[in-house]
Amino acid sequence: MTTLDATGAPHLAPMGPHVSADFSRLTLRPFPTSNTCQNLLRHGEGVIHVTDDALLLARAAVGAAVVPPGRPAARVNGYVLADCCRYFEFRVTSVDASAPRVRIEAEVVHAGRVRDFFGFNRAKHAVVEAAILATRLHLLPLLEVASEFAKLRVIVGKTGGPDEHAAMDLLEAKLRQAEAAG
């Protein structure tokens, strides 16, 4: 997902929205302290992207992503990634901040297609799973995460290309940092 920060610069973060069957509505559940949540509360608009770039997802998950090239969105004050497969520009319609995770309802106001979705092989799936775990290092026992990473590394070793190996290296480095700090 891309949102705009307080200065109007694009901010990139991984987000798994709940999407209505007709792709007209989104439910987002960011943590209230996240930059994404703060940006959505501030501006009320953003862009959800569909991508098969597992390395970008891994970088975004650990806060190491440089926002890739893109262009201004068509109908919202937002940013569309140039190399995404599809994108959905949205506006926030309601916010419920009464739970530990903020519930944000949004309406899709414009959608587009940039290129075909190549898909995920086993290595890309493994990277996505590792990236999700990496966003939860503060919530999960680190020994369990390390055990899962070891299993996922085997899959990447068998079926991954250079990007998937780089993604796992990055995610494992984040785990090592958490272990050293913990």
Side-chain angles (χ1 to χ4, degrees), residues 43-60:
H43 297 294
E45 299 177 321
V47 182
I48 289 282
H49 300 83
V50 176
T51 183
D52 49 19
D53 185 342
L55 180 55
L56 177 62
L57 291 170
R59 286 178 176 152

Side-chain angles (χ1 to χ4, degrees), residues 19-174:
V19 182
S20 66
D22 65 355
F23 288 87
S24 66
R25 303 205 46 80
L26 307 169
T27 301
L28 310 169
R29 299 196 53 229
F31 288 102
T33 56
S34 70
N35 290 329
T36 297
C37 186
Q38 296 306 307
N39 293 342
L40 288 172
L41 294 176
R42 184 182 304 109
H43 297 294
E45 299 177 321
V47 182
I48 289 282
H49 300 83
V50 176
T51 183
D52 49 19
D53 185 342
L55 180 55
L56 177 62
L57 291 170
R59 286 178 176 152
V62 298
V66 173
V67 178
R71 62 172 173 74
R75 301 239 174 93
V76 301
N77 191 15
Y79 186 80
V80 176
L81 301 178
D83 189 38
C84 69
C85 301
R86 295 187 67 190
Y87 63 93
F88 300 88
E89 300 176 20
F90 66 87
R91 286 196 180 102
V92 171
T93 57
S94 70
V95 176
D96 177 359
S98 63
R101 298 218 5 221
V102 178
R103 182 182 180 97
I104 298 174
E105 300 292 336
E107 174 186 20
V108 174
V109 297
H110 181 70
R113 181 185 166 282
V114 175
R115 64 176 176 81
D116 289 339
F117 180 75
F118 181 78
F120 289 137
N121 63 12
R122 289 183 70 212
K124 287 181 186 261
H125 276 289
V127 168
V128 170
E129 288 303 317
I132 291 167
L133 288 169
T135 67
R136 289 159 172 74
L137 295 176
H138 63 291
L139 300 172
L140 300 172
L142 296 180
L143 283 174
E144 287 180 27
V145 175
S147 174
E148 288 301 314
F149 271 31
K151 295 173 194 171
L152 296 168
R153 175 54 93 170
V154 170
I155 295 168
V156 170
K158 290 180 179 179
T159 63
D163 283 352
E164 292 77 32
H165 285 276
M168 280 304 299
D169 291 346
L170 176 71
L171 297 169
E172 288 169 334
K174 185 69 171 182

Side-chain angles (χ1 to χ4, degrees), residues 5-17:
D5 68 17
T7 69
H11 171 76
L12 178 68
M15 178 71 63

